[in-house]
Amino acid sequence: MSAAVLSRLNKSTVRIGDVPVGSGRPVLIAGPCAVEPDYVETAERLRLLGVDILRGCAFKPRTRPDSFQGMGAAGLELVTEARRRTGLPVVTEVMAPEDVPLVAAVADCLQIGSRNMQNFRLLVIAGESGLPVLLKRGFSATYDEWLAAAAYVEQTGNHQVILCERGIRTFEPRTRNTLDLSAVPVLRELTDLPVIVDPSHAAGRAALVPPLCRAALAVGADGLMVEAHPRPRESWCDAEQALSLEELGPIAGWLQDYPTAVVRRSG
Ligand code: PEP
Ligand code: MN
């Protein structure tokens, strides 16, 4: 067996609820950018499509203070109900150390967003919750800075960290960010942690998301995180990049029967 295959087989697995991430079949995390009032119905439709893990944020880090900031505690109640009705685990964002207990009480995985990748106190408190942490790459962070941020979580004794490449800022204005797919094979050399790809925030445009999903799978990503909404144009947040549920369906289909042999050989 080649060293590359062995290194993939030795990779650590992180469990979100009862879904293993990093153990072979890439997982699909999907849902709207923000939790909205119809989140529970949306979640039920996502389950029927075969989504493994739900996403949806009740607390939204927004560049402008007059943008919708998320439903907050009311959104977390919808997360609880969506989880109960679908039986699926949920990943949702936590933005502040003082909110960790509130969010950790309902979530299966804490998302730490790009803008907070180096919020060191948040990393530590999130780590101490004992829940898995999905750590998004800061949009100007190097691989080493990203891994150092992950080490803050791991220093608490919590090794359940998933790294999420979501695009970096470059000189190119035609995409929201530039998806850096080199992150997947480079991080394979540097860490055992699972690496997933979020093409939605990288592309910023729905039409680009399916091809970038294929590319992420081709480089051996352990999963995809995709924004999807039942009526994308009406999405309260990140409407341009949201796939419709009809557009998400084929992506869920690719992943359900994904050939493990291909995944394991692609490292
Ligand atoms: C998100 O996942 O909704 C989000 C805000 O992503 P990022 O932190 O990558 O911008
Ligand atoms: Mn978003």
Side-chain angles (χ1 to χ4, degrees):
M1 209 179 275
S2 74
V5 172
L6 269 178
S7 78
R8 284 201 55 86
L9 292 174
N10 291 340
K11 218 156 50 62
S12 57
T13 298
V14 173
R15 298 189 90 82
I16 299 184
D18 57 6
V19 179
V21 183
S23 71
R25 184 181 73 81
V27 299
L28 179 59
I29 305 173
C33 179
V35 172
E36 298 181 21
D38 63 352
Y39 187 67
V40 178
E41 297 90 85
T42 303
E44 287 183 317
R45 292 181 61 190
L46 290 166
R47 182 184 64 81
L48 292 175
L49 290 179
V51 166
D52 298 294
I53 298 165
L54 299 171
R55 66 150 285 146
C57 299
F59 294 100
K60 290 301 313 169
R62 303 306 299 277
T63 301
R64 291 180 182 75
D66 54 352
S67 300
F68 170 60
Q69 303 285 312
M71 290 182 71
L76 292 181
E77 282 175 29
L78 295 174
V79 165
T80 304
E81 183 58 12
R83 211 171 154 264
R84 194 185 66 76
R85 290 258 278 268
T86 62
L88 293 178
V90 182
V91 49
T92 191
E93 180 152 355
V94 62
M95 287 172 53
E98 62 272 21
D99 291 341
V100 169
L102 192 70
V103 179
V106 308
D108 298 277
C109 175
L110 300 177
Q111 174 172 323
I112 296 191
S114 290
R115 292 158 189 80
N116 269 318
M117 189 203 83
Q118 288 185 313
N119 183 337
F120 301 117
R121 183 143 177 77
L122 177 61
L123 294 167
V124 170
I125 305 282
E128 286 172 351
S129 75
L131 282 179
V133 173
L134 192 152
L135 182 59
K136 301 193 86 175
R137 181 183 188 179
F139 39 65
S140 61
T142 64
Y143 300 139
D144 288 320
E145 287 164 341
W146 189 8
L147 289 170
Y152 271 89
V153 178
E154 292 204 74
Q155 241 182 19
T156 68
N158 180 351
H159 298 284
Q160 302 280 294
V161 182
I162 298 167
L163 300 168
C164 179
E165 162 62 35
R166 46 76 74 208
I168 51 175
R169 189 163 276 178
T170 69
F171 48 79
E172 177 53 63
R174 285 193 182 262
T175 48
R176 184 176 179 184
N177 292 282
T178 296
L179 183 60
D180 176 19
L181 284 177
S182 301
V184 179
V186 172
L187 290 171
R188 288 280 181 255
E189 297 176 343
L190 301 175
T191 177
D192 288 338
L193 299 175
V195 184
I196 69 166
V197 171
D198 165 359
S200 304
H201 290 87
R205 207 146 53 76
L208 303 178
V209 171
L212 293 178
C213 284
R214 285 197 291 274
L217 294 173
V219 293
D222 292 306
L224 303 171
M225 182 151 92
V226 177
E227 286 190 346
H229 190 283
R231 299 166 310 284
R233 301 291 75 80
E234 295 173 27
S235 184
W236 289 8
C237 187
D238 284 348
E240 303 76 19
Q241 69 197 34
L243 294 187
S244 66
L245 302 190
E246 292 71 23
E247 290 165 328
L248 182 70
I251 297 171
W254 304 338
L255 289 178
Q256 266 150 35
D257 302 314
Y258 206 76
T260 305
V262 174
V263 183
R264 292 214 186 273
R265 243 181 269 123
S266 62

